[in-house]
Amino acid sequence: MRRVELRRAAAFLCALAIAAAASAQSPALSSWNDGEAKTRILDFVRAVTDPKGKDFVAPADRIAVFDNDGTLWAEQPLYFQALFMLDQVKAAAPKHPEWKDNPAFKALVAQDKAAIEKMGMKPVLELLAQANSGMTVAEYDATIRNWLATARHPKYQRPYTELTYLPMRELLDYLRANGFSTFIVSGGSVEFMRPWAEKAYGIPPEQVIGSQMEVKFEMKDGKPVLTREAKIAFVDDGPGKPVGIYRHIGKRPILAFGNSDGDFQMLQVTTAGEGRRLGLIVHHDDAAREYAYDRQSHIGKLDKALDAAPANHWIVVSMKSDWKKVFAFDK
Amino acid sequence: MRRVELRRAAAFLCALAIAAAASAQSPALSSWNDGEAKTRILDFVRAVTDPKGKDFVAPADRIAVFDNDGTLWAEQPLYFQALFMLDQVKAAAPKHPEWKDNPAFKALVAQDKAAIEKMGMKPVLELLAQANSGMTVAEYDATIRNWLATARHPKYQRPYTELTYLPMRELLDYLRANGFSTFIVSGGSVEFMRPWAEKAYGIPPEQVIGSQMEVKFEMKDGKPVLTREAKIAFVDDGPGKPVGIYRHIGKRPILAFGNSDGDFQMLQVTTAGEGRRLGLIVHHDDAAREYAYDRQSHIGKLDKALDAAPANHWIVVSMKSDWKKVFAFDK
């Protein structure tokens, strides 16, 4: 067999294998209740994968982007990364005796909301940056992994990595089984997501896009290392998300899924493209199983994007009525 | 068949298909002469892909990074992107009557090297930035594609995209056939490489890492667009390359291939990792078929990395003696 023929045969075998894996997942999206959201997702995937249909999209262009906090896992009572960074302030305190006179440190340790509101976020952010920089990226990675293994969510008393949404994990699997590439596009920082995103979502490190701190190359004890600096390099939120997507992927996604106004521009750019597109928003309306919040929330505020959804044909997914289960541990 | 079993069967079929495609490429690296470079590359790939060997690396961690200018394609007499950007200055001139009094513009148009050396690079770079910003990224992409389709290299009188190195394209194919992911990590900017890298190298846009201009999200005629700004956001060169790799891939590569001191730190970080690693440098020593330059060159200067190669066991690939052909059009 000639090389070109063998390649074709290989491609054909792979396509068969992928199709077999896809059909094995039937029924797809089993944690989703029947309804408009599920129907429109299934319709969309059918349309863009039908090689004879007018909406067909080649696998290389089946790019799907997902916000993380509040879209793939929970984000209340505070972004989990913020909780981690606060814990780093406490852990670093013994090495910083000078902090005991720092009003921001005192307010954080005492959880004194009134004092923080009075002083503003600047001194708090400076303290967080100081406690979360100066080490090599490998050292910081070890700290993140250790925290994830031991910290527990205040409401659920479970590791944070168990607070991923089961219906979203099913959707990610379903899209990949249909030839999509799935990317995280988060306001959180890349290094906080990468250690667990592959296991939790099947998304490898190179498909995680996020905010970035400055890191610096240097030689340390004869070894090349990257050291974290106390300076933000890029904020992957709001209008930053389309920039992150452009820089990292270089293609316009055909599907975007978010949950807050921080995802507004990502949804706009995705659904403004030619051909068939899908925009989706998780609406947190489930106080019983998770949390209920939108326009007034200080975390994951959903206001402008909610108003813009109908005109843009974005699907507003109700956590309460569209999802049979929220978490894998739900009964 | 249960879902898990079907998945395993699918994975097995895919592995078979990939192995078939790989073996179909025999003999591997046919444009490489037999010698130390070729032998060590083949040995390395055999070692990291042998599931029973001590050097085995799982496919997900088989990350290979390649510089572009001077490593995958030519870079003389001037980086091709610089030639493109200069052409944009000329193209934009009618819209900028004020430039006729700009000494940098006059020197560029007249190719007056002495004048440029006298004024320094700053006014030249400012002019280049001005002529290559202000448009949407889609408009700029169209300009790049048009230039690539029409511009010709002064020495070879061929489109620049024909000046890729055949042995390197074979190496990229060979690595991917053995389960590697191949990334470009270039000092050039992402938008200049993406339009042609997939066709030329089989490297899709999301695996192209490079320098970045600031881009800005905005609404224009009711459509969301990204506009190029005249400001550099990130320089992916020298110590910037390990930073670009960290941010984009999040894993330490096991193979790095460069050609200049701009690749020094990328080679260091790659080969300082644990387990088996490979660092390689293209040495431009072929004045007959391409160019001969290293320590004294103003483009692609290779000095420190050349000195450091022996102690680090980096392979210095001689274009003259290791490659049967340089370009596909060579006889």
Side-chain angles (χ1 to χ4, degrees):
Chain A
M1 216 187 266
R2 277 170 45 241
R3 179 173 155 180
V4 173
E5 284 165 2
L6 257 168
R7 283 226 172 148
R8 272 197 208 124
F12 178 69
L13 275 177
C14 261
L16 270 189
I18 288 165
S23 70
Q25 296 199 322
S26 150
L29 308 184
S30 58
S31 297
W32 290 69
N33 285 314
D34 291 331
E36 195 204 334
K38 182 173 177 174
T39 302
R40 283 185 59 193
I41 293 170
L42 294 174
D43 278 353
F44 174 79
V45 171
R46 209 175 292 124
V48 298
T49 56
D50 175 5
K52 288 176 192 152
K54 67 173 174 48
D55 296 322
F56 180 72
V57 175
D61 295 321
R62 291 182 204 155
I63 307 289
V65 290
F66 290 81
D67 169 58
N68 185 42
D69 298 310
T71 300
L72 295 180
W73 76 345
E75 62 182 352
Q76 298 284 3
L78 194 60
Y79 299 122
F80 300 168
Q81 182 174 0
L83 295 171
F84 160 75
M85 291 176 79
L86 281 172
D87 279 352
Q88 298 323 295
V89 172
K90 291 178 203 160
K95 281 190 248 167
H96 293 276
E98 77 280 11
W99 284 356
K100 70 176 199 300
D101 301 322
N102 180 328
F105 179 72
K106 283 193 273 191
L108 276 181
V109 171
Q111 301 193 13
D112 184 346
K113 271 195 176 183
I116 291 173
E117 273 169 27
K118 205 174 154 197
M119 74 181 73
M121 282 307 285
K122 196 163 175 275
V124 176
L125 290 175
E126 280 169 0
L127 190 66
L128 285 174
Q130 212 186 329
N132 288 274
S133 63
M135 66 292 281
T136 68
V137 298
E139 287 161 356
Y140 197 61
D141 180 70
T143 307
I144 293 166
R145 288 173 193 270
N146 181 52
W147 186 84
L148 288 168
T150 53
R152 294 293 178 271
H153 187 276
K155 174 172 170 178
Y156 297 100
Q157 293 301 322
R158 289 175 179 270
Y160 289 95
T161 47
E162 288 186 19
L163 300 178
T164 59
Y165 303 136
L166 181 62
M168 296 303 289
R169 287 161 53 190
E170 287 176 2
L171 177 58
L172 290 166
D173 282 343
Y174 173 66
L175 291 172
R176 286 190 296 261
N178 282 283
F180 280 74
S181 296
T182 51
F183 288 81
I184 291 174
V185 181
S186 170
S189 69
V190 281
E191 67 274 10
F192 188 73
M193 295 178 277
R194 284 172 170 166
W196 55 274
E198 183 143 26
K199 196 176 160 200
Y201 306 134
I203 297 180
E206 65 270 27
Q207 292 178 355
V208 177
I209 303 170
S211 295
Q212 296 169 349
M213 297 296 286
E214 291 289 355
V215 294
K216 190 183 159 191
F217 174 92
E218 53 188 359
M219 298 300 291
K220 210 171 173 176
D221 307 325
K223 294 255 179 197
V225 295
L226 295 177
T227 308
R228 288 173 59 82
E229 301 196 291
K231 195 183 160 203
I232 292 168
F234 176 62
V235 178
D236 190 54
D237 197 33
K241 289 201 177 194
V243 176
I245 290 168
Y246 168 70
R247 287 186 178 159
H248 195 111
I249 310 178
K251 290 174 187 169
R252 193 193 292 253
I254 64 168
L255 184 154
F257 211 139
N259 80 299
S260 78
D261 285 356
D263 305 309
F264 189 27
Q265 290 86 352
M266 174 170 87
L267 285 160
Q268 283 184 301
V269 164
T270 299
T271 58
E274 283 175 26
R276 191 130 172 199
R277 309 269 158 172
L278 196 64
L280 304 104
I281 294 170
V282 176
H283 192 194
H284 294 265
D285 57 0
D286 194 335
R289 295 184 297 181
E290 206 239 11
Y291 297 90
Y293 59 97
D294 47 36
R295 296 181 194 275
Q296 307 300 327
S297 180
H298 64 298
I299 297 286
K301 179 179 178 176
L302 174 64
D303 186 33
K304 277 200 257 178
L306 194 57
D307 288 338
N312 287 286
H313 310 289
W314 299 336
I315 306 175
V316 178
V317 174
S318 160
M319 185 174 271
K320 191 172 178 177
S321 43
D322 283 318
W323 290 358
K324 281 185 196 156
K325 285 183 173 192
V326 175
F327 303 111
F329 56 77
D330 281 342
K331 297 247 168 73
Chain B
M1 215 188 271
R2 279 171 43 241
R3 178 173 157 179
V4 174
E5 284 164 3
L6 257 168
R7 283 227 170 147
R8 273 196 207 123
F12 177 71
L13 276 176
C14 261
L16 269 188
I18 289 165
S23 70
Q25 297 201 320
S26 150
L29 308 184
S30 59
S31 298
W32 291 67
N33 285 314
D34 291 331
E36 194 203 335
K38 182 172 177 175
T39 302
R40 283 184 59 192
I41 293 170
L42 295 173
D43 277 354
F44 173 79
V45 172
R46 210 175 291 125
V48 299
T49 56
D50 175 5
K52 288 175 190 152
K54 66 175 174 48
D55 296 323
F56 180 72
V57 175
D61 294 322
R62 290 181 205 156
I63 307 290
V65 289
F66 291 81
D67 169 58
N68 185 42
D69 298 311
T71 300
L72 295 179
W73 75 347
E75 63 183 351
Q76 297 285 3
L78 194 59
Y79 299 122
F80 300 167
Q81 183 174 359
L83 295 171
F84 161 75
M85 291 175 79
L86 280 172
D87 279 352
Q88 297 325 295
V89 172
K90 291 177 203 163
K95 279 190 251 168
H96 294 274
E98 76 280 10
W99 284 355
K100 70 175 199 300
D101 301 320
N102 180 329
F105 178 73
K106 283 193 271 189
L108 276 181
V109 171
Q111 300 193 16
D112 185 345
K113 271 195 177 183
I116 290 173
E117 273 168 28
K118 206 173 153 195
M119 74 181 75
M121 283 306 286
K122 197 163 174 276
V124 177
L125 290 175
E126 280 169 0
L127 190 66
L128 285 174
Q130 213 187 327
N132 288 273
S133 63
M135 66 290 282
T136 69
V137 298
E139 287 161 355
Y140 198 60
D141 180 70
T143 308
I144 293 167
R145 288 173 193 269
N146 181 52
W147 186 84
L148 288 168
T150 53
R152 295 293 178 270
H153 187 277
K155 174 172 168 177
Y156 297 100
Q157 293 301 323
R158 288 174 178 272
Y160 289 96
T161 47
E162 288 186 19
L163 299 179
T164 58
Y165 303 136
L166 181 63
M168 297 303 289
R169 287 162 51 188
E170 287 177 3
L171 177 58
L172 290 166
D173 282 343
Y174 172 67
L175 290 172
R176 286 191 295 261
N178 282 283
F180 280 73
S181 296
T182 52
F183 288 81
I184 291 174
V185 181
S186 170
S189 69
V190 281
E191 66 275 10
F192 188 72
M193 296 179 278
R194 283 173 169 166
W196 55 275
E198 183 143 27
K199 196 177 160 199
Y201 307 133
I203 297 180
E206 65 269 28
Q207 292 179 353
V208 177
I209 304 169
S211 295
Q212 296 169 350
M213 298 297 284
E214 291 290 355
V215 294
K216 189 182 160 192
F217 174 92
E218 54 189 359
M219 297 301 291
K220 209 170 173 175
D221 307 326
K223 293 255 178 197
V225 295
L226 295 177
T227 308
R228 289 173 58 82
E229 302 197 291
K231 195 183 158 204
I232 292 169
F234 176 63
V235 178
D236 190 54
D237 197 34
K241 290 203 177 194
V243 175
I245 291 168
Y246 168 70
R247 286 186 179 159
H248 195 112
I249 311 178
K251 290 175 186 169
R252 193 194 292 255
I254 63 168
L255 183 154
F257 211 138
N259 80 299
S260 79
D261 285 357
D263 305 310
F264 189 26
Q265 290 86 352
M266 174 172 86
L267 285 160
Q268 282 184 303
V269 163
T270 300
T271 58
E274 283 174 27
R276 191 131 171 198
R277 307 269 158 173
L278 196 63
L280 305 104
I281 295 171
V282 176
H283 191 194
H284 293 265
D285 56 1
D286 194 336
R289 296 185 297 182
E290 206 238 11
Y291 296 90
Y293 60 98
D294 47 34
R295 296 182 194 276
Q296 307 301 327
S297 180
H298 64 297
I299 297 286
K301 179 178 179 177
L302 174 64
D303 185 34
K304 277 201 255 176
L306 194 57
D307 288 338
N312 286 287
H313 309 289
W314 298 337
I315 305 176
V316 178
V317 174
S318 159
M319 184 173 271
K320 192 172 178 176
S321 43
D322 284 318
W323 290 358
K324 280 184 197 157
K325 285 183 173 191
V326 175
F327 303 111
F329 55 77
D330 282 341
K331 298 247 166 72

